[in-house]
C-alpha cells in the first residue's frame, strides 16, 4: 500500500524549495498580456552556442516564479564569449524568446549568435559593420540574436512580433532574428 501523505509532503517540500530559490518578477510595461502569450505556467529555454559549443535546456519559471539558479545559468550561457564578461540578462528578453519559441511549436533549440555584449566587443563590431548600434540593447543584457534551422527568419520574426514585448529585427541575409525587450518596434526584411 502506498502512503500518499508522505508523497504529498515530498511534493510540497519540493515546491517549497523551488519557491524559496525563486525571484518573483513581473513585466511592467503596458503590453504584458500580449508579451506573456505562449509563456505558460512553466517556461523553458533551450539554446546552443556555436561559439562556445555549450548547450542549455532549462526551466527558468514555474507557476509565476523565476528560478534563481536557472536564471544564473542563462546569464552565464548568454555571456560575451569574446571577453567572458557575464551580465544579468533582462528577464523580459528571456520571456520573449521562450514565448516566441513556444509559438513556433519546435523542439529545436535556438542557436544563440549574440546575447550580452561588453562595451569592448560592441565597439569592435561597430568598427566592422554599420549595422551595430552604438547603444545596442545587447550592452544592457536586453537582446539576443537567434537562429533556428527548422524555421525561416520570417516565421521567427512573426512569432516574436506576436508577443508584442519589444523590438524585433529581421536579418534575412544573415539568417537570424534579433529580439529585445525595448520599445515595441520592428525593422529589416
Amino acid at each position: 500500500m502506498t502512503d500518499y501523505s508522505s508523497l504529498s509532503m515530498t511534493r510540497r517540500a519540493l515546491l517549497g524549495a523551488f519557491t524559496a530559490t525563486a525571484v518573483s518578477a513581473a513585466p511592467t510595461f503596458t503590453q504584458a498580456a500580449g508579451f506573456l502569450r505562449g509563456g505558460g505556467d512553466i517556461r523553458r529555454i533551450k539554446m546552443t552556442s556555436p561559439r562556445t559549443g555549450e548547450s542549455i535546456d532549462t526551466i527558468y519559471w514555474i507557476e509565476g516564479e523565476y528560478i534563481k539558479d536557472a536564471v544564473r545559468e542563462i546569464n552565464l550561457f548568454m555571456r560575451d564569449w569574446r571577453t567572458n564578461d557575464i551580465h544579468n540578462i533582462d528577464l523580459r528578453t528571456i520571456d520573449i524568446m521562450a514565448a516566441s519559441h513556444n509559438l513556433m511549436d519546435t523542439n529545436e533549440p535556438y542557436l544563440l549568435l549574440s546575447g550580452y555584449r561588453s562595451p569592448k566587443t560592441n565597439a569592435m563590431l561597430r568598427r566592422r559593420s554599420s549595422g551595430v548600434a552604438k547603444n545596442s540593447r545587447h550592452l544592457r543584457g536586453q537582446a539576443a540574436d537567434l537562429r533556428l534551422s527548422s524555421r525561416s527568419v520570417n516565421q521567427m520574426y512573426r512569432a516574436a512580433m506576436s508577443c508584442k514585448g519589444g523590438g524585433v529585427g529581421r536579418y534575412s541575409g544573415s539568417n537570424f532574428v534579433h529580439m529585445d525587450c525595448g520599445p515595441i518596434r520592428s525593422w529589416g526584411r
Side-chain angles (χ1 to χ4, degrees):
M1 182 170 164
T2 305
D3 182 3
Y4 288 104
S5 63
S6 66
L7 290 176
S8 65
M9 289 298 290
T10 303
R11 183 173 183 269
R12 267 189 237 133
L14 178 62
L15 289 173
F18 274 122
T19 302
T21 61
V23 175
S24 177
T28 58
F29 50 94
T30 59
Q31 297 294 332
F35 166 73
L36 294 174
R37 199 179 106 218
D41 291 331
I42 293 177
R43 297 183 193 167
R44 178 183 198 171
I45 194 79
K46 294 169 29 172
M47 296 182 281
T48 61
S49 170
R51 311 297 188 187
T52 65
E54 298 169 340
S55 294
I56 188 170
D57 181 0
T58 189
I59 293 171
Y60 69 93
W61 162 285
I62 297 177
E63 299 289 332
E65 302 288 331
Y66 290 97
I67 301 169
K68 195 174 184 178
D69 290 339
V71 170
R72 260 195 243 104
E73 286 180 38
I74 294 167
N75 292 337
L76 175 64
F77 183 84
M78 293 181 70
R79 72 190 178 277
D80 182 331
W81 61 270
R82 290 174 178 91
T83 63
N84 271 327
D85 290 341
I86 300 168
H87 192 278
N88 289 333
I89 303 301
D90 194 304
L91 298 171
R92 296 171 300 170
T93 297
I94 301 166
D95 286 339
I96 292 166
M97 293 164 54
S100 298
H101 197 266
N102 284 344
L103 289 170
M104 290 183 282
D105 193 30
T106 181
N107 287 322
E108 176 191 358
Y110 280 125
L111 188 68
L112 177 71
L113 303 176
S114 184
Y116 169 69
R117 283 189 207 144
S118 67
K120 179 180 176 181
T121 294
N122 203 66
M124 179 270 297
L125 292 173
R126 278 183 51 75
R127 286 190 297 274
R128 292 183 182 176
S129 170
S130 62
V132 177
K134 182 178 182 178
N135 294 312
S136 170
R137 294 205 175 263
H138 289 278
L139 290 163
R140 293 177 254 169
Q142 294 180 335
D145 295 339
L146 305 162
R147 177 183 295 155
L148 286 170
S149 62
S150 65
R151 299 293 183 267
S152 70
V153 168
N154 284 334
Q155 288 171 315
M156 291 180 65
Y157 171 83
R158 285 192 306 269
M161 284 300 297
S162 72
C163 293
K164 294 182 170 75
V168 182
R170 183 173 21 190
Y171 294 89
S172 297
S174 300
N175 190 28
F176 75 88
V177 170
H178 168 99
M179 298 180 196
D180 71 50
C181 64
I184 297 171
R185 67 212 188 286
S186 65
W187 63 94
R189 46 190 172 101

